[in-house]
Amino acid sequence: EKAEVEGTVTVSFTVLPNGTITGARVSQSSGNEWLDKAAVQAVNATSGALPFPAGIHKTQWDFALKVNFKLDW
């Protein structure tokens, strides 16, 4: 049986200049453990994919990202 759940999770994380993501964690829970874990996994899956552009001279960059899980019927 398919779980039909919706919710919004806020994931906080740090990006390093080479695009590596570190410290991904739920900073605001959806109230559903499965959605929370899926959101953190989604953020971690992009680690290394987007290095900083040449004009960005930071040693790290902190982000908070809202991940929305919405059923679209």
Side-chain angles (χ1 to χ4, degrees), residues 1-63:
E1 185 175 309
K2 186 174 134 190
E4 295 183 357
V5 291
E6 294 183 327
T8 301
V9 185
T10 303
V11 180
S12 295
F13 56 97
T14 300
V15 183
L16 303 179
N18 65 1
T20 298
I21 289 175
T22 64
R25 69 196 183 285
V26 173
S27 54
Q28 186 172 348
S29 175
S30 65
N32 181 291
E33 184 180 354
W34 184 87
L35 293 182
D36 290 355
K37 286 182 180 180
V40 171
Q41 287 177 348
V43 167
N44 281 328
T46 66
S47 186
L50 292 170
F52 289 3
I56 304 294
H57 301 292
K58 296 181 174 220
T59 56
Q60 64 182 46
W61 206 341
D62 296 325
F63 289 91

